[in-house]
Amino acid sequence: MELQVWKGDWGLPSVDLQSLAVITYCKMCGHDVPLVECKGAWNGKRLPVLTLSETEEYLETPQNIINFLISKEVQMDEHLSPKHMSEIAAMTSMITDSLYTSLMVAMWLDEHNYQNVMLPLYKAVYKLPLSYLKAMQMRRYVKCMVLSRFSLDDNVEISSIHAKVFEKSKRNLQILSTKLSGNQFIFGKVPSQLDAYIFAHLALIRSMPIKSQLKDDMGKLANLCEYTQRVHKKYFPKLFRQFTPENPEKSLFSPQMLNQVRIQI
């Protein structure tokens, strides 16, 4: 089998959140699935995609991929109680509702981050004018996604939506910090699939060279920062040594490196 993913940067094996979550899950399980870097899609399918060479079938979405891996005994949650499994479902929903939304807002709807981080990323992968078209398409998708989370009855001004999104993510970062406490992983000394999902979000917030309230709020929670650095160093040691957030100029997608980028399309 092979895992089709967005290429990596910023010290991470993939700059796509969903791809990073699945890669981290495999690493935490001790299962090194071969990675194939793609241009944001595989045969028109959104990444990540797990291709099965023996049957020529494929699986989409992180949860479907993880469920398949569990069926092949690539798992790490067998020690957890039913209560813990319920917590995984609840906290995954919370993270998707808040941290994912906030991260998308910071990446795509903040003008500075869009111009200086996301557009260079797409320019490094796609030729002109496709890079602009793909980036604008993603930006529209994120805007529609964010607006859809607010009911018309809420009488929310569009100008205040971003503030409400970051306010919610700040509360949920605090919930994660309290839940983690001083533990090595969320449920103690052994990782779970929830750790893979949490790390994917926190690692992108920490490592991406974006400016946002979300990054500032996370930076104030020492145990979350230490957790992210610890997991990063443990499961991706070579990438961890190659890049730190204090050295964004090493990024393949940084303005300093863009003129040197030559990617086969």
Side-chain angles (χ1 to χ4, degrees):
M1 68 179 73
E2 293 180 335
L3 186 63
Q4 321 292 324
V5 299
W6 254 97
K7 72 182 290 85
D9 194 32
W10 306 311
L12 300 171
S14 176
V15 297
D16 171 63
L17 192 153
Q18 308 293 353
S19 297
L20 180 57
V22 176
I23 295 170
T24 305
Y25 177 87
C26 291
K27 281 289 185 179
M28 287 180 167
C29 290
H31 182 73
D32 288 324
V33 60
L35 303 181
V36 179
E37 295 180 346
C38 299
K39 301 183 301 177
W42 177 82
N43 288 355
K45 309 297 181 183
R46 292 191 66 178
L47 301 175
V49 174
L50 183 69
T51 55
L52 310 176
S53 56
E54 60 272 18
T55 62
E56 297 186 354
E57 295 178 329
Y58 61 87
L59 294 165
E60 299 176 79
T61 78
Q63 196 56 58
N64 285 341
I65 293 172
I66 288 174
N67 288 341
F68 172 80
L69 293 173
I70 290 174
S71 73
K72 299 298 182 180
E73 298 188 356
V74 180
Q75 58 181 316
M76 54 180 165
D77 293 346
E78 62 271 17
H79 66 288
L80 297 179
S81 68
K83 179 184 177 182
H84 285 150
M85 297 306 294
S86 296
E87 286 187 66
I88 287 178
M91 295 190 74
T92 298
S93 177
M94 180 192 77
I95 292 168
T96 301
D97 184 54
S98 63
L99 293 190
Y100 175 78
T101 303
S102 296
L103 188 54
M104 292 299 104
V105 167
M107 291 163 58
W108 291 101
L109 302 186
D110 179 280
E111 191 62 28
H112 177 273
N113 294 333
Y114 178 71
Q115 294 292 341
N116 293 280
V117 180
M118 305 316 297
L119 269 181
L121 188 154
Y122 273 62
K123 287 178 182 177
V125 175
Y126 298 105
K127 292 180 178 179
L128 291 172
L130 188 59
S131 57
Y132 281 100
L133 294 174
K134 289 284 188 181
M136 287 189 293
Q137 183 183 43
M138 186 63 183
R139 199 179 198 190
R140 285 195 299 268
Y141 166 78
V142 171
K143 184 176 181 179
C144 291
M145 177 195 71
V146 172
L147 291 175
S148 71
R149 295 181 182 274
F150 291 85
S151 168
L152 294 177
D153 296 333
D154 289 341
N155 195 27
V156 177
E157 293 285 342
I158 293 179
S159 60
S160 70
I161 286 181
H162 291 192
K164 290 182 177 291
V165 167
F166 288 125
E167 181 182 349
K168 187 173 185 179
S169 66
K170 182 179 181 179
R171 292 197 303 268
N172 288 334
L173 280 172
Q174 184 61 60
I175 291 172
L176 282 179
S177 177
T178 301
K179 177 65 179 176
L180 177 63
S181 187
N183 294 328
Q184 186 174 358
F185 297 102
I186 288 295
F187 295 121
K189 297 182 179 180
V190 182
S192 68
Q193 63 175 283
L194 181 58
D195 288 286
Y197 197 55
I198 291 174
F199 171 76
H201 286 77
L202 298 185
L204 280 176
I205 295 171
R206 177 179 181 270
S207 299
M208 289 184 74
I210 59 174
K211 297 180 180 180
S212 77
Q213 182 182 334
L214 182 63
K215 184 186 284 283
D216 294 341
D217 290 338
M218 178 182 163
K220 296 174 184 177
L221 299 169
N223 67 333
L224 289 187
C225 295
E226 292 166 2
Y227 165 84
T228 306
Q229 182 169 324
R230 184 169 61 249
V231 174
H232 194 171
K233 186 176 182 179
K234 179 179 177 65
Y235 294 104
F236 307 104
K238 291 183 180 179
L239 292 173
F240 179 82
R241 289 194 297 269
Q242 291 170 4
F243 178 86
T244 63
E246 289 73 29
N247 293 287
E249 67 275 6
K250 292 184 180 180
S251 166
L252 176 63
F253 304 121
S254 67
Q256 297 93 326
M257 294 293 289
L258 271 179
N259 290 335
Q260 303 176 33
V261 173
R262 296 293 184 270
I263 296 181
Q264 296 293 327
I265 303 296

